[in-house]
Amino acid sequence: QLQLQESGSGLVTPSQTLSLTCAVSGGSISSGGYSWSWIRQPPGKGLEWIGYIYHIGSTYYNPSLKGRVTISVDRSKNQFSLKMSSVTAADTALYYCARSYGSGSNYYFDYWGQGTLVTVSS
Amino acid sequence: QSVLTQPPSASGTPGQRVTISCSGTSSNIGSNYVSWYQQLPGTAPKLLIYSNNQRPSGVPDRFSGSKSGTSASLAISGLRSEDEADYYCAAWDDSLSGFYVFGTGTKVTVL
């Protein structure tokens, strides 16, 4: 059974960079046909897709995040990471990693991590 | 950034059928497949429906999805207390340079 586990900084100072890692177990991050995503959920609010990466390293980001996001993959450790720069209080959220399946017009998330809370505060 | 609109709440008594709507546009639901996610209190979302109307293994057939034009629906038949959760629709949106978008979410309450 595939499992994903987020880890990283739980408290980030405004204007600094948020860093999170998602460790994948029970399957290989290099499996074809899948991409690996980050999704966030502000407290009491809905879900927002941040972006994804394929195991070969190609990435795609939500345009609304205006170039603040970088997603990378470490195939040797079977994990992928998120960096978000210039954070503000609006970036406070529960951050989920997920496996994404599909391409083009048909895309969905079939496995999710449990989520990790990131608070942006001085 | 949500461009998929859902009713904020829906409710029913045990055994009833509840339907949740998801309204989009030609750039998302109108041209791409819809998926649905269930988020139980304090837990991560779970894939409920993909490709408009397909259920992953293990999802009860009480849950069904449909799509017509720029709208989609999730139906829960034989409502049970454990169905009390938040439900989100989602689809790829082809506008701008393309992005994945979730619905505003619907809280289902079992009375």
Side-chain angles (χ1 to χ4, degrees):
Chain A
Q1 178 78 345
L2 192 74
Q3 291 186 317
L4 295 89
Q5 178 68 57
E6 305 91 346
S7 63
S9 47
L11 179 64
V12 184
T13 303
S15 80
Q16 298 301 303
T17 297
L18 171 164
S19 295
L20 297 174
T21 295
C22 180
V24 179
S25 58
S28 173
I29 204 167
S30 298
S31 297
Y34 300 108
S35 55
W36 304 90
S37 288
W38 288 98
I39 297 149
R40 68 180 181 179
Q41 184 173 36
K45 297 187 178 181
L47 300 164
E48 180 182 31
W49 174 73
I50 296 171
Y52 67 66
I53 188 166
Y54 282 98
H55 68 92
I56 56 174
S58 55
T59 55
Y60 201 88
Y61 304 126
N62 191 326
S64 70
L65 293 168
K66 299 176 181 177
R68 295 194 296 129
V69 171
T70 302
I71 299 176
S72 59
V73 65
D74 186 334
R75 288 180 291 278
S76 66
K77 294 183 178 179
N78 216 39
Q79 65 186 33
F80 62 106
S81 299
L82 170 70
K83 290 189 184 299
M84 181 180 295
S85 62
S86 305
V87 298
T88 69
D91 296 310
T92 293
L94 195 55
Y95 284 75
Y96 295 101
C97 60
R99 188 180 79 169
S100 16
Y101 182 76
S103 61
S105 64
N106 196 4
Y107 196 77
Y108 51 89
F109 308 102
D110 57 355
Y111 286 92
W112 296 65
Q114 66 185 27
T116 187
L117 179 63
V118 175
T119 302
V120 179
S121 175
S122 55
Chain B
Q1 188 190 34
S2 292
V3 294
L4 302 182
T5 303
Q6 301 178 232
S9 63
S11 63
T13 56
Q16 276 191 327
R17 175 183 172 93
V18 170
T19 301
I20 301 167
S21 62
C22 175
S23 178
T25 67
S26 59
S27 64
N28 41 65
I29 294 178
S31 52
N32 297 305
Y33 288 85
V34 177
S35 54
W36 288 88
Y37 302 86
Q38 176 194 57
Q39 187 173 32
L40 297 169
T43 69
K46 167 191 168 184
L47 179 64
L48 206 59
I49 296 287
Y50 66 97
S51 300
N52 297 336
N53 55 18
Q54 301 300 300
R55 285 185 307 276
S57 174
V59 173
D61 60 6
R62 302 185 295 104
F63 295 92
S64 61
S66 63
K67 173 185 143 177
S68 178
T70 59
S71 293
S73 293
L74 173 71
I76 310 173
S77 60
L79 192 65
R80 303 176 68 162
S81 58
E82 58 260 40
D83 298 334
E84 189 159 291
D86 293 322
Y87 293 83
Y88 294 91
C89 59
W92 189 263
D93 191 298
D94 295 326
S95 63
L96 300 176
S97 51
F99 59 99
Y100 195 78
V101 61
F102 289 94
T104 50
T106 298
K107 169 66 177 180
V108 168
T109 301
V110 181
L111 303 171

